[in-house]
Amino acid sequence: MSLKFWMQKETEESASIIKNQQNDSLDILNEVTNRLQKNSPNFVATLARGSSDHAASFSKYAIETHLGVMTASIAPSVHTIYKSNINYKNSFVIGISQSGKSSDLIESMAFARKNGAITLAFVNEKNSPLEQECEYCIPLLANKEQSVAATKSFIASLSRIIQLISYWKNDTNLNKQLLNTSNQLLNFNENEMSLVVENLLNEKSILVLGRGYSFPIALESALKLKETCGLHAEAFSGAEILHGPFELIQKNYPILLYLSNDETLESMLKLIETLQNKKAKLFVITTNEIAHKYEKNLSNTYIIKTANSINSLCDNILSIYHFYKLAAMLSLKLGRNPDLPKNLNKVTDTI
């Protein structure tokens, strides 16, 4: 399929962005992580909205499992509307934003910095107001994003988060694995995607499931299906779907699942068995190893294989990259423009 829209082109820029990040802002990364190593923060907090908030959710799972530091999302309205005085003493606050212009994030970050937090922003736009309010700023290096649907900036956020963790842990191998991920991105099977697209064309709603590191990827995927395809999509953790949402699942109900090569795999495979018994219509995005090793478990499912597994964190970059390609293809097949959703703007300002 020829590349006609920005969403497709910008997704494919992700490989070069990750490579460029490897040699950028290393002095800031070293300074920040040296401080964090010498004096471990009591907690990490994140400030973000939209797709950037999904990246922030990814950072929660990644930081808590790799560094053992409690990480929570701060609702900006706590500061901007409720005017609450949060105690940020000995904390580390990470802001993630494409534009760096959202007034609620700016106000919240300024408060955190004034009240004891080490503050770091990952921002795509240079010299943004958010950057000015932070002690440290590391650019995403995604360059201008033309499509309303954020793709390369989201992947750039994930890679910066992994890079931060690798420096904080002094884990050079993780950073090498991140670089290797960029080399895997351009390998995808368009035939597998086409088959999935054809089987989604007539659907009106879909559930998207992930667990652990892949749950934020599921959240992002559901958002993009709404944005680019006008498809009602809701994301749930694989640990939560058997509660209330399970009542929705009838024969041929479409469900997209992410299977990760980590500790969540066994429970997600059991979930797939349960969903197969309900005769749901299952779509799976996973690594080559999982697809081959669990071929019998994944019978009667539509599979998109990403690549060989590199690392349980880095594999999520491969997963969302393939999803973005899928969403763009589905949007075009539905006669939509994935770059210009009818009711959305690129920058949203919230009070």
Side-chain angles (χ1 to χ4, degrees):
M1 180 176 63
S2 60
L3 296 179
K4 297 181 180 179
F5 291 86
W6 281 110
M7 183 179 180
Q8 297 151 298
K9 296 177 183 178
E10 290 174 346
T11 298
E12 292 200 343
E13 291 175 24
S14 301
S16 62
I17 292 167
I18 294 172
K19 290 177 181 177
N20 291 337
Q21 288 176 344
Q22 290 286 311
N23 298 307
D24 175 83
S25 302
L26 303 188
D27 54 339
I28 298 176
L29 276 167
N30 278 312
E31 183 176 342
V32 172
T33 54
N34 282 340
R35 289 179 65 182
L36 296 172
Q37 289 164 358
K38 290 177 181 177
N39 183 23
S40 181
N42 292 335
F43 65 92
V44 176
T46 61
L47 285 163
R49 292 251 184 227
S51 289
S52 295
D53 195 38
H54 299 154
S57 295
F58 177 81
S59 74
K60 170 185 172 61
Y61 284 97
I63 291 172
E64 289 183 345
T65 57
H66 282 70
L67 295 158
V69 182
M70 181 180 69
T71 304
S73 171
I74 299 296
S77 60
V78 166
H79 295 297
T80 61
I81 295 178
Y82 293 102
K83 304 299 182 182
S84 180
N85 292 318
I86 302 294
N87 181 4
Y88 284 102
K89 186 177 180 181
N90 194 36
S91 69
F92 178 39
V93 178
I94 303 171
I96 306 174
S97 176
Q98 298 169 57
S99 69
K101 297 176 182 177
S102 297
S103 57
D104 57 342
L105 300 185
I106 297 164
E107 181 179 339
S108 299
M109 187 63 81
F111 183 92
R113 183 177 181 183
K114 290 175 183 176
N115 287 273
I118 298 173
T119 55
L120 167 68
F122 292 125
V123 186
N124 199 35
E125 294 284 341
K126 295 180 179 179
N127 302 315
S128 69
L130 182 61
E131 177 181 346
Q132 304 307 315
E133 291 295 345
C134 286
E135 186 174 0
Y136 300 102
C137 183
I138 295 177
L140 294 178
L141 300 182
N143 296 317
K144 186 173 179 61
E145 202 162 39
Q146 303 286 347
S147 177
V148 169
T151 56
K152 62 179 180 176
S153 61
F154 179 77
I155 291 176
S157 299
L158 297 187
S159 58
R160 278 302 200 193
I161 290 164
I162 295 171
Q163 188 181 33
L164 172 69
I165 290 170
S166 73
Y167 274 72
W168 194 345
K169 288 182 65 180
N170 287 323
D171 188 344
T172 56
N173 190 49
L174 176 58
N175 208 37
K176 289 178 182 176
Q177 290 168 329
L178 177 59
L179 181 59
N180 289 339
T181 302
S182 66
N183 298 322
Q184 297 263 39
L185 287 181
L186 299 183
N187 301 319
F188 64 93
N189 188 323
E190 196 159 314
N191 290 331
E192 289 180 349
M193 288 197 181
S194 297
L195 183 61
V196 170
V197 166
E198 291 300 322
N199 281 276
L200 285 173
L201 281 177
N202 297 316
E203 302 297 346
K204 302 301 180 186
S205 64
I206 187 171
L207 296 179
V208 189
L209 309 182
R211 190 166 185 188
Y213 306 138
S214 66
F215 177 47
I217 305 305
L219 290 168
E220 171 66 6
S221 302
L223 176 64
K224 287 298 187 289
L225 288 171
K226 295 184 185 84
E227 280 183 341
T228 64
C229 302
L231 181 60
H232 178 243
E234 296 298 332
F236 290 94
S237 165
E240 298 291 340
I241 190 63
L242 295 181
H243 297 157
F246 196 65
E247 183 63 21
L248 297 173
I249 301 170
Q250 307 296 327
K251 184 178 181 180
N252 292 324
Y253 194 99
I255 303 174
L256 171 63
L257 301 98
Y258 288 99
L259 293 185
S260 301
N261 192 21
D262 64 16
E263 292 83 349
T264 66
L265 179 58
E266 183 178 352
S267 66
M268 289 296 285
L269 288 171
K270 289 180 179 178
L271 175 60
I272 284 179
E273 183 180 359
T274 301
L275 296 172
Q276 287 171 331
N277 291 335
K278 292 276 286 186
K279 301 189 184 316
K281 190 176 182 181
L282 303 182
F283 304 88
V284 171
I285 297 179
T286 192
T287 64
N288 292 341
E289 293 91 342
I290 292 174
H292 292 133
K293 183 175 181 180
Y294 299 98
E295 184 177 3
K296 291 183 179 179
N297 304 70
L298 301 177
S299 60
N300 301 317
T301 66
Y302 300 94
I303 302 174
I304 292 177
K305 297 186 288 293
T306 57
N308 292 330
S309 178
I310 294 175
N311 172 281
S312 57
L313 282 181
C314 298
D315 288 349
N316 291 278
I317 292 176
L318 298 169
S319 293
I320 196 60
Y321 178 91
H322 281 71
F323 169 80
Y324 285 152
K325 301 289 287 183
L326 170 66
M329 189 182 293
L330 178 59
S331 178
L332 293 171
K333 281 281 189 179
L334 291 169
R336 301 172 64 95
N337 181 343
D339 294 340
L340 296 172
K342 296 177 182 179
N343 301 315
L344 301 176
N345 296 312
K346 185 64 178 172
V347 178
T348 301
D349 193 21
T350 308
I351 62 171

